[in-house]
Amino acid sequence: MMIINFKKTMWTGLLAIAALGFAACNNNANKETEQQDSTEAATGSSTAEANDAQAAATAGISFKDEQGNTVVLSSLAGKVVFINFWATWCPPCIHEMPSINDLRKSFKDNDQIVFLMVDVDGEIEQSSAFMKDNKYDLPVFIPNSNIPSDYLAGAIPTTVILDKKGQMADRMEGGRDYSTPEIKKGLQALIDQ
């Protein structure tokens, strides 16, 4: 059953216009490159049931920062969450980093959006050093739980945008230019909802 989500369609359209596409890096030995739509898991279910299932899945996802603090996605309800899965050895990841840094700067005074830069290799010291060496003001995390395949399906960079209800507004594989006005406008629309 195909469920059309207006927010997702709007956001995807904005990104299609604004995005600068690059090939994605394969992640680990899995090499799985197909993206799963979270609504496929809810085949035969209503939209509300699919959203409930997605919110329940979000509850168990957590990340750890350099100081060892844990962030559980469900604790970020009420905020838009920008999650970028990346690695220091991935050229498209490195290429998009300045635009993500610019995007975060444009929302620096807004406490309704959270940025999580997740090093998929779990090398927090190396990824933190990368951010410092490049003078990026981006918070680095590592996975502290299993990451569902509807978030990360084997290719990086992958970016997931969650709305204030913790539901996936979009998921994108491959490098992009995140500093465009269209992307800022799309995130602001999610914040304003």
Side-chain angles (χ1 to χ4, degrees):
M1 177 172 150
M2 182 176 192
I3 299 171
I4 299 175
N5 182 328
F6 176 73
K7 289 188 288 186
K8 185 172 183 179
T9 303
M10 176 192 74
W11 183 248
T12 303
L14 286 172
L15 288 175
I17 293 168
L20 175 62
F22 295 97
C25 296
N26 286 330
N27 181 25
N28 299 329
N30 190 346
K31 308 259 190 232
E32 182 182 339
T33 58
E34 290 192 26
Q35 148 182 336
Q36 290 183 347
D37 187 342
S38 63
T39 56
E40 288 176 0
T43 302
S45 300
S46 71
T47 302
E49 290 170 339
N51 290 342
D52 289 345
Q54 188 177 26
T58 301
I61 301 171
S62 65
F63 306 101
K64 191 180 290 189
D65 69 12
E66 192 173 13
Q67 291 76 37
N69 301 315
T70 300
V71 173
V72 180
L73 279 186
S74 61
S75 72
L76 300 175
K79 298 178 187 276
V80 173
V81 183
F82 180 101
I83 308 167
N84 181 264
F85 296 99
W86 70 289
T88 57
W89 50 263
C90 168
C93 301
I94 294 167
H95 186 80
E96 73 179 2
M97 213 52 74
S99 70
I100 296 173
N101 194 59
D102 289 344
L103 179 65
R104 182 167 187 257
K105 281 181 186 177
S106 70
F107 288 101
K108 71 177 181 171
D109 296 325
N110 191 327
D111 64 355
Q112 296 299 303
I113 185 167
V114 176
F115 286 79
L116 304 174
M117 305 301 294
V118 180
D119 178 348
V120 297
D121 288 334
E123 300 291 337
I124 192 92
E125 295 85 12
Q126 183 178 350
S127 56
S128 293
F130 172 86
M131 293 297 183
K132 288 175 189 165
D133 291 347
N134 288 285
K135 297 179 177 50
Y136 296 140
D137 184 27
L138 296 167
V140 177
F141 295 83
I142 57 173
N144 193 48
S145 66
N146 288 329
I147 307 301
S149 62
D150 56 335
Y151 279 64
L152 182 62
I156 56 172
T158 293
T159 298
V160 173
I161 309 291
L162 303 178
D163 66 16
K164 289 181 172 185
K165 295 177 184 175
Q167 298 169 359
M168 193 179 299
D170 207 351
R171 178 186 178 282
M172 302 148 288
E173 285 185 1
R176 291 180 176 18
D177 179 359
Y178 287 102
S179 62
T180 66
E182 293 85 1
I183 290 178
K184 292 173 188 174
K185 189 176 184 178
L187 284 174
Q188 188 63 53
L190 289 173
I191 291 167
D192 292 341
Q193 290 181 347

